[in-house]
Amino acid sequence: MKANPRRRIAVLVSGTGSNLQAVLDAIGSGALDATVVAVVSNRADVYALERAEAAGVPTVCLVPGPGEARSDYDARLVATVAEFEPDFVLLAGWMRLLSMTFLSRFPNRVINLHPALPGQFPGTHAIERALEAAQRLGLHRTGVMVHFVPDENVDDGPVIATAEVDIHSDDTVETLSARVHAAEHALLITALRAVVAGAG
Ligand code: GRF
């Protein structure tokens, strides 16, 4: 066995997967020394799965059953993800709350990306809410963060990295989203490089 094996990352997705692509590209270019061992989606037919397949990464689609209890789904998710023996589980556009059934199985190993700064706009539509705050309250800046997920608190936990994003007076949801997503793609790689370098 190598003394310093490449860190194994399982990526959980629900949608487009542009952040997954940023990770795959960074690994491909040598900017990130890691391996994506699996991409798991809670939704069928999402573009993120196509991106993973194009990169030759194993994919699993695990759609919740009708009325399935969260703890039952999360137990299935644990079994699925654990099979790939990841060092880290990255939530990259994963749009489903995770319970302690899942989180306690991967302590200090689950990493989330959120398009807002710590403590601001947790939950969905963070970019839209930041723009609304800019228009109504004069907010000049939002941002993005990457953090560990220790518990069920939404978009909260020990911060790994943040980046600020200016809000322009003529911004629309589209223009601000484009700037926030570009910041996410860069920050995610910075954060993963730090985590991978620090992993014992
Ligand atoms: C990102 O803005 C992420 O922070 C949020 O959902 C979006 C996912 O984008 N949670 P993508 O699927 O990576 O393109």
Side-chain angles (χ1 to χ4, degrees):
M1 196 172 134
K2 279 166 69 184
N4 187 15
R6 292 181 117 196
R7 295 299 163 186
R8 300 167 62 82
I9 304 175
V11 184
L12 273 52
V13 297
S14 303
T16 308
S18 65
N19 287 286
L20 166 67
Q21 192 67 56
V23 173
L24 293 170
D25 290 348
I27 291 172
S29 72
L32 176 63
D33 187 19
T35 308
V36 176
V37 290
V39 171
V40 180
S41 174
N42 65 324
R43 292 182 189 155
D45 302 324
V46 292
Y47 190 49
L49 290 173
E50 287 182 38
R51 293 180 192 269
E53 279 157 21
V57 174
T59 60
V60 181
C61 187
L62 207 63
V63 176
E68 182 175 14
R70 186 169 298 280
S71 57
D72 291 343
Y73 178 84
D74 282 7
R76 287 205 290 138
L77 188 61
V78 165
T80 299
V81 172
E83 252 184 57
F84 294 96
E85 301 184 346
D87 294 300
F88 297 101
V89 178
L90 172 65
L91 312 181
W94 172 257
M95 302 301 284
R96 187 181 158 90
L97 299 176
L98 290 171
S99 69
M100 290 311 291
T101 302
F102 184 88
L103 296 171
S104 63
R105 176 60 179 72
F106 301 102
N108 306 315
R109 297 289 190 218
V110 181
I111 296 167
N112 184 43
L113 168 71
H114 183 62
L117 292 170
Q120 294 185 3
F121 313 115
T124 56
H125 304 297
I127 300 171
E128 287 87 340
R129 285 186 285 145
L131 185 60
E132 195 183 299
Q135 289 162 350
R136 291 181 44 198
L137 307 167
L139 187 74
H140 291 302
R141 167 166 308 141
T142 182
V144 299
M145 70 165 158
V146 180
H147 65 95
F148 285 109
V149 184
D151 54 35
E152 296 176 12
N153 291 333
V154 175
D155 298 321
D156 192 18
V159 172
I160 301 167
T162 63
E164 294 188 345
V165 176
D166 287 337
I167 303 176
H168 302 166
S169 55
D170 60 351
D171 260 334
T172 61
V173 171
E174 288 72 28
T175 59
L176 181 57
S177 296
R179 215 175 306 118
V180 167
H181 290 316
E184 282 188 312
H185 299 160
L187 187 74
L188 183 54
I189 305 312
T190 303
L192 289 176
R193 283 172 62 110
V195 164
V196 162

